[in-house]
Amino acid sequence: MKTYQAVTEAVLQELREITGAAHVKTAPHILQSYSEDESGMLAHRQAEVVVFPGTAEEISRIMKLANRRRIPVTPRGAGTGVCGGVVPVYGGIVVSMERLNRILEVRENGLYLVAEAGVRTADIQAAARAKGLLYAGDPCSSDSCFIGGNLATNAGGNKAVRYGTTRQQVYAVEAVLPTGEITQFGSVLKKCSTGFCLEQLLIGSEGILGIITKVILKLVPLPPYRFDGLIIFSSLEQAVSLVPKLMQSAVNPTSVEFMDKKFVRRAVQYCRVPLPHWQDAYYVIVTLEAFCSEELARMTETLVALGETCGAVDMVKADERVWKVRRNCLESTRELSRESTSEDLVVPLLQIGNCLHTLMKKAATYSFEAFCLAHAGDGNLHFQLLRGDLPAAVWQAEVADFRKFAYPFVYRSGGRLSGEHGIGCKRVAYMEAYTDPVELAVMKKIKNALDPHGILNPGKVLREE
Ligand SMILES: Cc1cc2nc3c(=O)[nH]c(=O)nc-3n(C[C@H](O)[C@H](O)[C@H](O)COP(=O)(O)OP(=O)(O)OC[C@H]3O[C@@H](n4cnc5c(N)ncnc54)[C@H](O)[C@@H]3O)c2cc1C
C-alpha cells in the first residue's frame, strides 16, 4: 500500500506559483463539492485543495510537484460520473479541467475537431452541427459533461449503436502523464500500424494513466433525414425479440433504447407528458438516419414490418416528448428514495433477451424496487435499485445478494461489469474479483510503469497493492 503526504502550506504556495493564487481553492464548501460526483458516494477523504490550471504546462508542473511530494492527484471533468471516479479516496489535489474550455479548430474538409478537455460535449456537438457535420459521441449527460471525461470513461450514449462509443470518435489525445511529461498519442490518420495504439490505452482509463488535456475528434457527414419511432409492447419477450432482428436487418439503427414498464410509468409521471399505453407497456425507441428520403422511407418500412412481426401493440412517431421521458429516467427515480445504486452491465447482443429476462425476474424477488432500461442495441443494461424505506442492513444485504447472482451470470454470458460508466472506486472490489487474473496483472503492470509512485487517481479501477 502506498503512503501519501498531506498538502502543506508550502505545497499550496507552490501551486499558487504555478496557476496563480486565484486558481487555488481551499474553502470548505469547494473542497466538499469537488469531492463528489453523481454516484452519491461520499468522499472517503475530501480534497485538500482544488486547482484550476489553464494549460497543459501548468498541469505538467502540478504532476511533477505531486510526484516529488508524494501527493495524490484526482483529475476532474464536470463531475457527472456515476461511479465515484472523482472522489478523492486519499485526499490530496483535485485538478479541475474547467478552464481548459476552448474549441481550437473545426476542420470541415479534414473532418476533425480539436478541443481542450474541459469543453462541454454539447458545445462540441453544436460546433460540428454548425458546419453540417456530426460529432457522434452523445451521452445523455452531454449538456453538462466534458469531452475529457467522456474519453476518460469511454462514454457511450444514444448513438453508440451506429457510430460506436467515444473511443471510436477519437484520432488523437494530448495528455500529461503521471510523471509530468506532456505527449500526444495518435494522429489524424485513417490507418496506422506504427507501434502501440496508446491513445486507446488512455481512453477508458478513468484518469489513472494520464490527464487528458486536448483531443482531436472525428467528425462525419450529418445525415439530413431522421426518423424516431416508439415501438410499444405488452410483453418483455416480444420487446427484446425486436433487438436482434433490427440489428440483422439493413436499417443500421442509430439508437435502440429499451425501457421496462416501471421506468415508462415513473418517467412519464415525472415529466408529465402522457405517452401512448404508458400505464402498462414496454417501450423500444429506435432512431434511423439516412442521406436521402427514399432511403429513410425504406428503413422505416422495414422497422414497421419488424415491429409487427414481433407483436408490437402500437407504433408511433417518437417526438421530443419521448426522448424527454427517456432522458429523465434516472432523474425520475431520485425523489423516490434517499439512497439508490445503479448497475451498468454489458452483455453480447445475442444474450440481451436472456439476460434482461433473467435479471429482471431475479430483481423482482427482493424488497428493494428495481427499474430497468437498456441501450439495447449495444447490449448495455442499466438497473436502478432503490432503497426506499428499507433498513440499511436489509438494503445492503439484498444489493450484495443481487450482485452475487448477477455478476457471475453476466460473466458466464460473456459480459462485463460496466458498459459505459466505468469502475471508479465503486466497483474496484468487483473488478478484482471478476477480472481474469492475468488480465488484471497486465493492467497493474501498465499502471505501475506509467505511475511509479501511484499518485494519479489512486483507489480507482485497480486495487492499490
Ligand atoms: C443524468 C446522467 C446521464 C448520463 N448518461 C450517460 C450516458 O448516456 N452514457 C455514458 O456513458 N455516461 C452517462 N452518464 C455518466 C457521465 O456523464 C459520463 O461518465 C461522463 O463521461 C463523465 O464526464 P465528466 O466530465 O462529468 O467526468 P467526471 O465525472 O468529472 O470524471 C469521470 C472520470 O474521468 C476522469 N477524468 C475526467 N476528466 C479527465 C481528464 N481530462 N483526464 C483524465 N481523466 C479525467 C475522472 O478522474 C473520473 O475518473 C450520465 C450521467 C448522468 C448524471
Side-chain angles (χ1 to χ4, degrees):
M1 190 70 132
K2 304 267 185 323
T3 49
Y4 300 106
Q5 302 302 314
V7 173
T8 59
E9 186 48 44
V11 172
L12 291 177
Q13 193 46 43
E14 277 197 65
L15 289 172
R16 289 184 195 112
E17 279 159 23
I18 293 170
T19 61
H23 306 304
V24 177
K25 311 263 189 201
T26 53
H29 68 282
I30 293 183
L31 297 184
Q32 175 163 353
S33 66
Y34 280 80
S35 297
E36 295 171 353
D37 64 7
E38 292 289 331
S39 66
M41 298 181 80
L42 294 177
H44 299 53
R45 256 189 75 192
Q46 267 190 14
E48 293 160 78
V49 57
V50 184
V51 192
F52 299 82
T55 62
E57 287 70 26
E58 289 178 5
I59 296 176
S60 161
R61 290 176 64 195
I62 294 168
M63 290 313 299
K64 286 180 180 160
L65 160 66
N67 264 289
R68 214 173 350 105
R69 300 272 193 165
R70 305 288 195 269
I71 296 170
V73 173
T74 307
R76 181 184 175 95
T80 68
V82 285
C83 54
V86 295
V87 171
V89 176
Y90 300 99
I93 304 168
V94 165
V95 172
S96 166
M97 303 306 291
E98 279 166 58
R99 288 180 61 225
L100 280 89
N101 58 6
R102 292 174 305 157
I103 294 179
L104 302 170
E105 190 181 356
V106 185
R107 183 56 76 96
E108 288 164 79
N109 54 1
L111 291 174
Y112 68 85
L113 179 153
V114 186
E116 292 181 320
V119 177
R120 270 185 342 134
T121 310
D123 293 338
I124 286 180
Q125 293 167 336
R129 214 177 306 118
K131 305 277 186 186
L133 295 171
L134 172 72
Y135 168 66
D138 190 23
C140 296
S141 51
S142 59
D143 281 344
S144 40
C145 59
F146 293 170
I147 193 66
N150 291 173
L151 265 73
T153 55
N154 184 26
N158 294 327
K159 297 191 171 70
V161 183
R162 177 165 173 157
Y163 298 100
T165 59
T166 300
R167 72 165 74 254
Q168 274 86 39
Q169 321 307 329
V170 179
Y171 274 127
V173 177
E174 178 193 88
V176 177
L177 298 182
T179 37
E181 300 93 333
I182 303 174
T183 185
Q184 177 175 310
F185 293 147
S187 185
V188 185
L189 296 171
K190 285 300 264 186
K191 61 197 285 193
C192 179
S193 296
T194 316
F196 299 163
C197 192
L198 294 177
E199 65 279 16
Q200 291 294 338
L201 181 66
L202 273 192
I203 298 168
S205 69
E206 298 186 52
I208 73 168
L209 298 182
I211 301 187
I212 297 164
T213 47
K214 196 164 79 184
V215 296
I216 306 182
L217 302 170
K218 296 176 186 171
L219 304 177
V220 292
L222 183 67
Y225 296 92
R226 171 178 170 144
F227 174 79
D228 292 274
L230 172 60
I231 327 293
I232 303 169
F233 294 91
S234 58
S235 91
L236 172 65
E237 287 71 21
Q238 289 170 324
V240 293
S241 72
L242 177 64
V243 179
K245 290 199 169 63
L246 254 180
M247 302 309 291
Q248 286 157 31
S249 74
V251 303
N252 191 13
T254 302
S255 1
V256 184
E257 297 287 307
F258 163 86
M259 290 169 66
D260 78 347
K261 285 183 175 182
K262 287 174 81 173
F263 252 137
V264 171
R265 256 199 310 268
R266 177 62 204 146
V268 162
Q269 282 169 333
Y270 178 80
C271 296
R272 298 172 197 272
V273 282
L275 296 174
H277 309 273
W278 68 272
Q279 288 98 334
D280 195 25
Y282 297 94
Y283 280 3
V284 180
I285 311 166
V286 179
T287 302
L288 306 173
E289 290 176 320
F291 286 93
C292 69
S293 57
E294 294 78 15
E295 187 193 4
L296 187 69
R298 180 191 57 75
M299 291 159 98
T300 310
E301 268 172 33
T302 307
L303 174 64
V304 170
L306 289 176
E308 278 166 4
T309 310
C310 296
V313 291
D314 207 352
M315 288 184 253
V316 295
K317 197 167 184 303
D319 55 20
E320 178 47 31
R321 295 172 316 146
V322 174
W323 281 111
K324 184 175 177 191
V325 165
R326 167 60 192 87
R327 271 198 308 273
N328 278 280
C329 278
L330 214 64
E331 211 55 40
S332 74
T333 56
R334 287 238 161 104
E335 61 192 36
L336 297 181
S337 176
R338 68 200 137 124
E339 198 177 345
S340 63
T341 187
S342 59
E343 298 296 340
D344 174 39
L345 302 164
V346 61
V347 296
L349 269 188
L350 262 182
Q351 299 292 338
I352 186 134
N354 180 31
C355 288
L356 263 176
H357 189 258
T358 307
L359 295 178
M360 283 174 70
K361 212 165 124 197
K362 180 71 179 168
T365 64
Y366 295 99
S367 36
F368 56 64
E369 270 219 78
F371 294 71
C372 177
L373 57 83
H375 300 300
D378 41 41
N380 192 189
L381 319 178
H382 290 319
F383 282 87
Q384 188 71 7
L385 312 181
L386 308 189
R387 176 176 163 188
D389 294 329
L390 287 179
V394 177
W395 160 246
Q396 281 156 15
E398 288 201 349
V399 170
D401 198 66
F402 177 66
R403 288 177 176 160
K404 206 167 148 194
F405 174 84
Y407 294 172
F409 173 75
V410 160
Y411 272 76
R412 276 198 307 278
S413 308
R416 294 288 184 271
L417 281 178
S418 171
E420 57 179 18
H421 294 160
I423 302 300
C425 57
K426 177 177 171 178
R427 301 190 175 96
V428 169
Y430 297 111
M431 176 84 180
E432 193 80 18
Y434 290 101
T435 309
D436 169 76
V438 178
E439 189 183 352
L440 199 63
V442 171
M443 288 191 206
K444 287 181 181 174
K445 278 184 196 160
I446 293 171
K447 168 69 175 167
N448 288 335
L450 289 179
D451 186 11
H453 301 307
I455 56 159
L456 191 57
N457 218 0
K460 316 294 162 54
V461 188
L462 302 171
R463 197 172 66 198
E464 291 292 295
E465 297 294 290

